Coordinates of all heavy atoms in Angstrom, one line a residue:
G927 N 94.9 123.8 116.4 CA 93.8 124.6 117.0 C 92.5 124.0 116.7 O 92.3 122.8 116.7
N928 N 91.5 124.8 116.3 CA 90.2 124.3 115.9 C 90.0 124.5 114.4 O 88.8 124.5 114.0 CB 89.1 125.0 116.7 CG 89.1 126.5 116.5 OD1 89.9 127.0 115.8 ND2 88.3 127.2 117.3
W929 N 91.1 124.6 113.6 CA 90.9 124.9 112.2 C 91.4 123.8 111.3 O 91.1 123.8 110.1 CB 91.5 126.3 111.8 CG 93.0 126.3 112.1 CD1 93.6 126.8 113.2 CD2 94.1 125.9 111.2 NE1 94.9 126.7 113.1 CE2 95.3 126.2 111.9 CE3 94.1 125.3 110.0 CZ2 96.5 125.9 111.4 CZ3 95.4 125.0 109.4 CH2 96.5 125.3 110.1
G930 N 92.3 122.9 111.7 CA 92.9 122.0 110.8 C 93.4 120.7 111.5 O 93.6 120.7 112.7
T931 N 93.7 119.7 110.7 CA 94.3 118.5 111.2 C 95.1 117.8 110.2 O 95.0 118.0 109.0 CB 93.1 117.5 111.7 OG1 93.7 116.4 112.4 CG2 92.4 116.9 110.5
L932 N 96.2 117.1 110.7 CA 97.0 116.3 109.8 C 97.1 114.9 110.4 O 97.4 114.7 111.6 CB 98.4 116.9 109.8 CG 99.5 116.1 109.0 CD1 99.2 116.1 107.5 CD2 100.9 116.8 109.2
R933 N 96.8 113.8 109.6 CA 96.9 112.5 110.1 C 97.6 111.5 109.1 O 97.5 111.7 107.9 CB 95.5 112.0 110.4 CG 94.5 111.9 109.3 CD 93.3 111.0 109.6 NE 92.5 111.5 110.7 CZ 91.4 110.8 111.2 NH1 91.0 109.8 110.5 NH2 90.8 111.3 112.2
F934 N 98.2 110.5 109.7 CA 98.9 109.5 108.9 C 98.4 108.1 109.4 O 98.1 108.0 110.6 CB 100.4 109.6 109.1 CG 101.0 110.9 108.7 CD1 101.2 111.9 109.6 CD2 101.4 111.1 107.4 CE1 101.8 113.1 109.2 CE2 102.0 112.3 107.0 CZ 102.1 113.3 107.9
G935 N 98.2 107.2 108.5 CA 97.7 105.9 108.9 C 98.1 104.8 107.9 O 98.8 105.0 106.9
A936 N 97.8 103.6 108.4 CA 97.9 102.4 107.5 C 96.6 101.7 107.3 O 95.8 101.6 108.3 CB 98.9 101.4 108.2
L937 N 96.3 101.3 106.1 CA 95.0 100.8 105.7 C 95.2 99.4 105.1 O 96.0 99.2 104.3 CB 94.3 101.8 104.7 CG 92.9 101.4 104.3 CD1 92.1 102.7 104.0 CD2 93.0 100.6 102.9
R938 N 94.3 98.5 105.5 CA 94.2 97.2 104.9 C 92.8 96.9 104.4 O 91.8 97.2 105.1 CB 94.6 96.1 106.0 CG 94.7 94.7 105.5 CD 96.0 94.5 104.6 NE 96.1 93.2 104.1 CZ 96.6 92.2 104.7 NH1 97.0 92.3 105.9 NH2 96.6 91.0 104.1
S939 N 92.8 96.5 103.1 CA 91.5 96.3 102.5 C 91.4 94.9 101.8 O 92.4 94.5 101.1 CB 91.3 97.4 101.4 OG 90.1 97.2 100.7
K940 N 90.3 94.3 102.0 CA 90.1 92.9 101.4 C 88.6 92.9 100.8 O 87.7 93.6 101.3 CB 90.3 91.8 102.4 CG 91.6 91.7 103.0 CD 91.8 90.6 103.9 CE 91.7 89.2 103.2 NZ 92.0 88.1 104.1
G941 N 88.4 92.1 99.8 CA 87.1 91.9 99.2 C 87.1 91.3 97.9 O 88.0 90.6 97.5
N942 N 86.0 91.5 97.2 CA 85.8 90.9 95.8 C 85.2 91.9 94.9 O 84.4 92.7 95.3 CB 84.9 89.6 95.9 CG 85.5 88.5 96.7 OD1 86.3 87.7 96.2 ND2 85.1 88.4 98.0
V943 N 85.6 91.7 93.6 CA 85.0 92.5 92.5 C 84.2 91.5 91.7 O 84.8 90.6 91.0 CB 86.1 93.2 91.7 CG1 85.4 94.0 90.5 CG2 86.9 94.1 92.5
D944 N 82.9 91.6 91.7 CA 82.0 90.7 90.9 C 81.4 91.4 89.7 O 81.1 92.6 89.7 CB 80.8 90.3 91.8 CG 81.3 89.5 93.1 OD1 82.1 88.6 92.9 OD2 80.8 89.8 94.2
V945 N 81.3 90.7 88.6 CA 80.7 91.2 87.4 C 79.2 91.3 87.6 O 78.6 90.4 88.1 CB 81.0 90.2 86.2 CG1 80.2 90.6 85.0 CG2 82.5 90.1 85.9
R946 N 78.7 92.5 87.2 CA 77.3 92.7 87.3 C 76.6 92.9 86.0 O 75.6 92.3 85.7 CB 77.0 94.0 88.2 CG 75.6 94.2 88.6 CD 75.5 95.2 89.7 NE 74.1 95.3 90.2 CZ 73.2 96.2 89.7 NH1 73.6 97.1 88.8 NH2 72.0 96.2 90.2
I947 N 77.2 93.8 85.1 CA 76.6 94.0 83.8 C 77.7 94.2 82.8 O 78.7 94.9 83.1 CB 75.7 95.3 83.8 CG1 74.6 95.1 84.8 CG2 75.2 95.6 82.4 CD1 73.8 96.4 85.0
G948 N 77.6 93.7 81.6 CA 78.5 94.0 80.5 C 79.6 93.1 80.2 O 80.3 93.3 79.2
F949 N 79.9 92.1 81.1 CA 81.0 91.1 80.8 C 80.4 89.8 80.4 O 79.3 89.4 80.8 CB 81.8 90.9 82.0 CG 82.7 92.1 82.3 CD1 82.3 93.0 83.3 CD2 83.9 92.4 81.6 CE1 83.1 94.1 83.6 CE2 84.6 93.5 82.0 CZ 84.3 94.4 83.0
P950 N 81.1 89.1 79.5 CA 80.5 87.8 79.0 C 80.4 86.7 80.0 O 79.6 85.8 79.9 CB 81.4 87.4 77.8 CG 82.7 88.1 78.2 CD 82.3 89.4 78.9
T951 N 81.2 86.7 81.1 CA 81.2 85.7 82.1 C 81.0 86.3 83.4 O 81.3 87.5 83.7 CB 82.5 84.9 82.1 OG1 83.6 85.8 82.3 CG2 82.7 84.2 80.7
D952 N 80.4 85.5 84.3 CA 80.3 85.9 85.7 C 81.5 85.7 86.5 O 81.8 84.5 86.9 CB 79.1 85.2 86.4 CG 77.8 85.6 85.8 OD1 77.7 86.7 85.2 OD2 76.8 84.8 85.8
E953 N 82.4 86.7 86.6 CA 83.6 86.5 87.3 C 83.6 87.1 88.7 O 82.9 88.1 88.9 CB 84.8 87.1 86.5 CG 85.0 86.5 85.2 CD 86.2 87.1 84.5 OE1 87.0 87.8 85.2 OE2 86.4 86.9 83.3
S954 N 84.4 86.6 89.6 CA 84.6 87.2 90.9 C 86.1 87.2 91.2 O 86.7 86.2 91.3 CB 83.8 86.4 92.0 OG 84.0 87.0 93.3
T955 N 86.6 88.4 91.3 CA 88.0 88.6 91.5 C 88.3 89.1 92.9 O 87.9 90.2 93.3 CB 88.6 89.6 90.5 OG1 88.3 89.2 89.2 CG2 90.1 89.7 90.6
P956 N 89.1 88.3 93.7 CA 89.4 88.8 95.1 C 90.5 89.8 95.0 O 91.3 89.8 94.1 CB 89.8 87.5 95.8 CG 90.4 86.6 94.7 CD 89.6 87.0 93.4
F957 N 90.6 90.6 96.0 CA 91.7 91.6 96.2 C 92.1 91.7 97.6 O 91.3 91.4 98.6 CB 91.3 93.0 95.6 CG 90.2 93.6 96.3 CD1 90.4 94.4 97.5 CD2 88.9 93.5 95.8 CE1 89.3 95.0 98.1 CE2 87.8 94.1 96.5 CZ 88.0 94.9 97.6
D958 N 93.3 92.1 97.9 CA 93.9 92.2 99.2 C 94.9 93.3 99.1 O 96.0 93.1 98.6 CB 94.5 90.9 99.6 CG 95.0 90.9 101.1 OD1 95.0 92.0 101.7 OD2 95.3 89.8 101.6
D959 N 94.6 94.5 99.6 CA 95.5 95.6 99.5 C 95.9 96.2 100.8 O 95.2 96.2 101.8 CB 94.8 96.8 98.7 CG 94.5 96.4 97.3 OD1 95.3 95.6 96.7 OD2 93.5 96.9 96.7
T960 N 97.2 96.7 100.8 CA 97.7 97.4 102.0 C 98.2 98.8 101.5 O 98.8 98.9 100.4 CB 98.9 96.6 102.6 OG1 98.4 95.3 103.0 CG2 99.4 97.4 103.8
A961 N 98.0 99.8 102.3 CA 98.4 101.2 101.8 C 98.7 102.0 103.0 O 98.2 101.8 104.1 CB 97.3 101.8 101.0
F962 N 99.6 103.0 102.8 CA 99.8 104.1 103.8 C 99.0 105.3 103.3 O 98.9 105.5 102.1 CB 101.3 104.4 103.9 CG 102.2 103.3 104.5 CD1 103.3 102.8 103.8 CD2 101.8 102.7 105.7 CE1 104.0 101.8 104.3 CE2 102.6 101.7 106.2 CZ 103.7 101.2 105.5

């Protein structure tokens, strides 16, 4: 109706995690994730 919804999907995610503050070295860690 106009009160609710249910959805299913597949998600793909890519990117990098870069050190900004607090770690001794400047690291860049790539990631590549898939999820339902």
Side-chain angles (χ1 to χ4, degrees):
N928 58 4
W929 59 266
T931 190
L932 174 66
R933 61 164 58 181
F934 300 93
L937 182 146
R938 187 69 184 276
S939 176
K940 300 182 68 174
N942 293 279
V943 179
D944 297 315
V945 171
R946 190 167 186 265
I947 300 173
F949 289 99
T951 60
D952 294 334
E953 295 185 16
S954 181
T955 304
F957 62 87
D958 185 349
D959 293 330
T960 301
F962 294 126

